Amino acid sequence: QVQLVESGGGSVQPGGSLRLSCVASRTIFSINAMCWYRQAPGKQREAVAEITSGGTTYYADSVKGRFTISRDIAKNTVYLQMNSLKPEDTAVYYCNVRTTRDTNWGQGTQVTVSS
C-alpha cells in the first residue's frame, strides 16, 4: 500500500493563498487520477480537483478559477494551488490517488480561512 503525505495547510486570511503538496512514498503505477478532496466540519467529503493520467483537469464549481491542480510525476507529487481563499474553503484537505487496482488516501491537512 502506498502512503500519501499531505503538507502545506495552515491558517490564512480571506483572499490569501496556500499551496498543498501530496507526496507518495513510492512510484505509483497504473494511475487513473490524482485528486484533492475536502471535508468541512459537519459536511460530507467532497471532490475539489482531479488530474487524470492524461493530464486533463477537473474542478468543483466552487473552486473553478481559484484553485489549480498540478503534478510532478518524477517526484511522485500532486499539488493544489489555492488562491483567493474564502472562509467557506475551510476544511481538511485530503489527497487521493486512484489506480486500476485500488484507491489511496492521505491523512489530511487542515486549511483554515479566517479574518
Side-chain angles (χ1 to χ4, degrees):
Q1 188 84 2
V2 64
Q3 291 186 332
L4 303 174
V5 179
E6 301 101 333
S7 62
S11 295
V12 64
Q13 293 186 339
S17 298
L18 286 173
R19 188 193 195 204
L20 305 183
S21 300
C22 171
V23 181
S25 57
R26 59 169 175 79
T27 300
I28 306 175
F29 299 98
S30 304
I31 293 176
N32 286 332
M34 305 176 80
C35 312
W36 287 95
Y37 284 72
R38 68 185 180 187
Q39 187 166 19
K43 295 188 177 181
Q44 288 188 331
R45 191 172 297 189
E46 63 174 353
V48 174
E50 174 178 317
I51 183 165
T52 69
S53 58
T56 303
T57 56
Y58 300 93
Y59 297 94
D61 288 343
S62 59
V63 307
K64 280 181 182 176
R66 300 188 297 121
F67 290 11
T68 303
I69 189 170
S70 62
R71 65 187 177 183
D72 187 329
I73 295 174
K75 295 182 179 180
N76 301 322
T77 303
V78 60
Y79 304 97
L80 186 67
Q81 177 66 43
M82 306 186 293
N83 298 328
S84 302
L85 283 162
K86 305 175 181 180
E88 50 264 43
D89 295 319
T90 295
V92 177
Y93 283 71
Y94 297 90
C95 176
N96 169 285
V97 176
R98 298 199 306 271
T99 74
T100 56
R101 299 182 62 181
D102 56 17
T103 298
N104 302 277
W105 290 93
Q107 82 290 347
T109 185
Q110 176 70 45
V111 171
T112 301
V113 185
S114 173
S115 56

